[in-house]
Amino acid sequence: MKRQDIEQKTEELVSDIIESGGYILWDVEYVKEGSDYYLRVYADKDGGIMIDDCVKISRALEAKLDAEDFIEEAYILEVSSPGLTRKLKKDKDYERSIGRLVLIKLYKAQNGTKEIVGRLKEITVD
């Protein structure tokens, strides 16, 4: 199964857990680091997510993943906050970040820098 398919299926499985707990799903990623595979779920909530919230999500998701058993490789499940360095990938991520400070990393330097920090005021979707 492809990485994107694993992430999408996991997002589908965790969505009920997230919604019923009043959480916000920030991202799901399935990555290989060294010889280990990691399935990471990043969740948040108003006021910030706590370790007990992560444990609750992890246990509920683990039961669903075991029942579905669609990931062939052995993996490590991690549930955490997206942290201060959260990546903005989807339109909803940008919408949630309006009014917040963001760090933009550029591939090519502009005005002698590859990083720009600023407050996100608005987004425009074409």
Side-chain angles (χ1 to χ4, degrees), residues 40-59:
R40 293 189 175 119
V41 175
Y42 298 99
D44 207 354
K45 71 177 183 181
D46 291 335
I49 195 163
M50 307 302 283
I51 189 72
D52 291 341
D53 298 313
C54 294
V55 169
K56 182 178 177 181
I57 295 167
S58 180
R59 287 185 179 154

Side-chain angles (χ1 to χ4, degrees), residues 103-117:
L103 169 67
I104 299 170
K105 294 184 179 185
L106 306 171
Y107 289 107
K108 184 177 178 184
Q110 302 241 338
N111 299 323
T113 185
K114 291 177 111 180
E115 294 185 349
I116 301 169
V117 176

Side-chain angles (χ1 to χ4, degrees), residues 25-43:
L25 180 63
W26 198 268
D27 198 13
V28 173
E29 67 178 5
Y30 183 69
V31 295
K32 184 174 183 181
E33 295 178 1
S35 61
D36 295 322
Y37 286 91
Y38 291 86
L39 179 59
R40 293 189 175 119
V41 175
Y42 298 99

Side-chain angles (χ1 to χ4, degrees), residues 26 44 81-88 97 100:
W26 198 268
D44 207 354
S81 160
L84 295 176
T85 58
R86 61 189 69 184
K87 295 179 182 178
L88 307 180
S97 297
R100 294 184 176 189

